[in-house]
Amino acid sequence: MAHYVRFDWAMKRLLRDKANYVVLEGLLSSLLNKEIKITEILEGESNQDAEDDKQNRVDVLATDEKGVLYLIEVQNNSETAYFQRMLFGTSKLITQYIKRGCDYGQIRKVYSVNLVYFNLGMGKDYVYEGTTEFRGIHTDEVLNLSPFQMQQFDADGVKDLFPKYYILKIDGFDKVAKTPLDEWMYFLKDGSIADKPKAPGLERAKEVMLYDTMSESERRHYDRVMMDAAIIRDNVETARVEGRAEGEAKGRAEGRAEGEAKGRAEEKIGIARNLKSLGLPTEQIAQVTGLRTEEILRLN
């Protein structure tokens, strides 16, 4: 069976080659149901490559011939405030890519595509889209653009002027791949590609993301990154188990109602203490436990 490298790693290295834009174009086209042609992969603070980068969040920022921005993010670890991170990401792009003194009409359209490998929010679907629209509180009617605004901004509605968000819950996909998007979901979850894929971009992915065709140095880098990621996942899970055990033990010693509340608090503190002893960054510990930064810094 063919062994393909993980998509998040490929995004940081292989798919930045212009010859391989077709892979990302295929993913976007399958999701947006229209042909996408990437003209450039843009660089920013959030997607700089570094040898010692062990974070599990990966960004690719691309643009097309119309100047539309596509922010593609992969998140492997659970993050309670991920919705807010999505908002921050699009807001930062909007301000970053409008020149000082420009008219607001020059603000560029942003698509935020988020590939998450954890259960974000509550919902049974595996692909979600989000837009911004305004409704009358008395009539429930949607506020529309005027004919002049439609012509001026080349948009059909107010929502077309705002960022559009997509969330692909990879682990939630458990169906037979019948559509191009489903083929992509299957690949992102299981790392497998059909012999004759119908989804755009996957045929090229079979060529450029094959582990055995990479250079020796690329394979060494890939193996090291995968090992680091596995160690972090194991450390986080171990800290969760140990912290839970510590919290439950203390909780049992207290009164039932008070003990349960205390137990939950002690569980978070135990997890944070274990993660801190392993050297994980304070910000990442806060994301895992929900504790405030000041609380984590005070832990011994």
Side-chain angles (χ1 to χ4, degrees):
M1 180 180 293
H3 177 199
Y4 299 103
V5 298
R6 273 185 15 181
F7 190 71
D8 52 357
W9 186 86
M11 283 171 62
K12 294 189 74 174
R13 299 175 73 87
L14 305 178
L15 303 186
R16 295 181 182 278
D17 186 330
K18 194 163 188 176
N20 299 330
Y21 284 4
V22 65
V23 178
L24 292 175
E25 290 170 348
L27 171 60
L28 293 172
S29 298
S30 298
L31 179 64
L32 303 180
N33 290 315
K34 61 181 180 180
E35 186 176 0
I36 304 295
K37 288 294 181 184
I38 294 174
T39 58
E40 186 181 6
I41 300 293
L42 303 169
E43 294 296 336
E45 291 181 2
S46 58
N47 58 3
Q48 292 294 328
D49 187 23
E51 283 294 320
D52 60 350
D53 182 13
K54 298 183 178 66
Q55 300 299 315
N56 286 325
R57 177 173 174 264
V58 180
D59 298 348
V60 163
L61 178 60
T63 186
D64 63 16
E65 66 277 3
K66 293 184 177 180
V68 175
L69 297 170
Y70 302 91
L71 174 60
I72 308 172
E73 301 187 7
V74 178
Q75 177 72 7
N76 289 306
N77 283 344
S78 177
E79 184 173 341
T80 304
Y82 190 76
F83 289 115
Q84 289 91 327
R85 174 168 284 198
M86 290 165 50
L87 175 62
F88 174 80
T90 55
S91 301
K92 184 178 179 182
L93 283 184
I94 289 170
T95 56
Q96 183 178 354
Y97 285 95
I98 184 169
K99 295 180 181 178
R100 181 176 296 180
C102 283
D103 185 86
Y104 288 127
Q106 301 301 311
I107 289 177
R108 297 164 72 169
K109 175 71 174 183
V110 175
Y111 286 92
S112 173
V113 180
N114 301 271
L115 283 58
V116 299
Y117 286 81
F118 63 96
N119 191 21
L120 177 62
M122 296 181 64
K124 296 180 179 179
D125 209 327
Y126 53 92
V127 179
Y128 290 85
E129 64 177 356
T131 59
T132 299
E133 66 178 14
F134 299 88
R135 288 184 174 273
I137 62 173
H138 301 103
T139 62
D140 197 41
E141 66 176 349
V142 176
L143 181 64
N144 290 313
L145 296 175
S146 69
F148 175 75
Q149 287 173 315
M150 290 182 184
Q151 182 180 15
Q152 182 76 9
F153 305 129
D154 189 25
D156 294 326
V158 174
K159 66 181 182 180
D160 296 325
L161 304 179
F162 284 80
K164 187 165 186 178
Y165 298 90
Y166 287 90
I167 297 173
L168 280 61
K169 299 175 72 170
I170 308 301
D171 290 343
F173 179 75
D174 60 356
K175 302 182 181 299
V176 176
K178 295 181 178 180
T179 67
L181 182 55
D182 284 350
E183 282 193 60
W184 266 100
M185 293 293 293
Y186 182 72
F187 168 57
L188 293 170
K189 182 175 182 179
D190 295 336
S192 301
I193 304 177
D195 291 336
K196 296 181 179 180
K198 297 179 181 178
L202 286 183
E203 195 65 56
R204 180 62 176 167
K206 288 175 65 176
E207 301 173 13
V208 301
M209 295 176 62
L210 193 62
Y211 178 84
D212 292 338
T213 61
M214 293 194 304
S215 67
E216 181 63 29
S217 62
E218 285 180 324
R219 287 199 295 269
R220 283 200 302 270
H221 182 275
Y222 178 75
D223 291 340
R224 186 169 66 252
V225 171
M226 292 303 102
M227 183 177 295
D228 289 339
I231 290 172
I232 289 177
R233 284 196 303 272
D234 182 64
N235 287 343
V236 170
E237 184 58 30
T238 299
R240 285 183 185 277
V241 172
E242 292 179 354
R244 186 177 297 113
E246 179 181 341
E248 289 176 351
K250 289 192 176 183
R252 285 193 296 269
E254 307 289 342
R256 183 175 180 81
E258 183 182 352
E260 287 179 355
K262 258 189 174 178
R264 286 191 294 268
E266 291 291 345
E267 177 184 345
K268 290 183 179 181
I269 293 172
I271 292 173
R273 186 178 288 114
N274 287 327
L275 291 177
K276 191 174 182 181
S277 69
L278 293 168
L280 268 70
T282 301
E283 181 182 355
Q284 190 171 354
I285 297 173
Q287 292 170 2
V288 172
T289 62
L291 294 175
R292 297 193 304 275
T293 303
E294 313 85 77
E295 295 177 293
I296 297 169
L297 292 174
R298 287 198 298 266
L299 294 177
N300 296 322

